[in-house]
């Protein structure tokens, strides 16, 4: 096991607004958009379905930003891999901070509203591992969404 640190984020969610597109002085494209990830559960007291959505700002650079500009739209569904990055600036004498995900890999999900679906885009690729003998099929994962307990949180 490596002793290094890990800064990796995986999000699968819906695009909450049309991407904001900017260009740096170098001419490189920068795109940013909010991704909403929702959690669903049933209220134990009322039995009513509940939902909470967490919004995360995602930033794309260079070629990945150009793909976002051309193919990603509000309501689309994306799979994002990236890393957390915090930036700071001063506004009206007050130091402000924003933490966002800088995307390295993006997959457009087929049930989204993108013009092209099921596509895979990345800013970097890791080499494919060598082919190995196929592993036996794993047992199906437990269904934790239907787990009912008395944990108070």
């Amino acid at each position: 096991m490596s002793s290094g640190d890990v800064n990796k984020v995986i999000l699968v969610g819906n695009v909450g607004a049309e991407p904001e597109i900017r260009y740096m002085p170098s001419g490189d494209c920068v795109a940013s958009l909010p991704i909403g990830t929702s959690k669903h559960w049933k209220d134990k007291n009322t039995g009513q379905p509940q939902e909470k959505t967490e919004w995360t700002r995602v930033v794309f650079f260079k070629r990945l930003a150009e793909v976002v500009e051309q193919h990603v739209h509000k309501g689309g569904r994306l799979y994002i891999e990236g890393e957390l990055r915090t930036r700071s600036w001063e506004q009206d004498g007050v130091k402000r901070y924003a933490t966002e995900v800088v995307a390295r890999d993006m997959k457009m999900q087929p049930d989204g509203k993108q013009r092209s679906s099921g596509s895979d885009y990345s800013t970097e690729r890791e080499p494919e591992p060598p082919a190995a003998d196929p592993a036996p099929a794993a047992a199906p994962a437990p269904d934790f969404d239907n787990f009912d307990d008395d944990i108070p949180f």
Side-chain angles (χ1 to χ4, degrees):
M1 181 111 198
S2 173
S3 63
D5 297 336
V6 175
N7 181 356
K8 183 172 185 174
V9 175
I10 297 174
L11 295 171
V12 179
N14 296 315
V15 179
E18 287 297 317
E20 298 172 19
I21 307 298
R22 300 180 308 282
Y23 289 90
M24 299 194 312
S26 65
D28 290 336
C29 187
V30 179
S32 62
L33 52 83
I35 293 283
T37 52
S38 296
K39 177 180 178 179
H40 302 272
W41 73 95
K42 267 189 187 175
D43 184 282
K44 288 185 181 187
N45 297 324
T46 65
Q48 295 296 313
Q50 302 290 316
E51 177 180 6
K52 179 174 180 5
T53 302
E54 186 72 32
W55 292 98
T56 306
R57 171 79 37 198
V58 182
V59 181
F60 305 83
F61 291 96
K62 299 184 178 182
R63 178 69 184 126
L64 203 51
E66 293 170 6
V67 171
V68 167
E69 180 180 30
Q70 295 170 6
H71 300 288
V72 176
H73 301 282
K74 180 180 178 178
R77 190 155 178 82
L78 297 178
Y79 169 95
I80 304 288
E81 283 187 29
E83 63 184 43
L84 285 177
R85 192 165 300 158
T86 302
R87 58 186 173 88
S88 64
W89 69 96
E90 195 166 311
Q91 182 178 7
D92 299 328
V94 177
K95 188 135 185 171
R96 302 201 181 261
Y97 299 89
T99 301
E100 50 204 8
V101 173
V102 175
R104 287 188 311 241
D105 188 24
M106 174 185 74
K107 294 178 178 73
M108 292 185 278
Q109 301 293 295
D111 57 345
K113 295 181 180 176
Q114 284 80 233
R115 290 184 195 134
S116 170
S117 61
S119 300
D120 181 6
Y121 299 95
S122 179
T123 57
E124 57 187 61
R125 285 278 182 210
E126 295 181 17
E128 293 289 326
D133 293 333
D143 184 9
F144 290 114
D145 290 335
N146 291 328
F147 186 74
D148 190 19
D149 63 11
D150 293 326
I151 298 174
F153 53 90

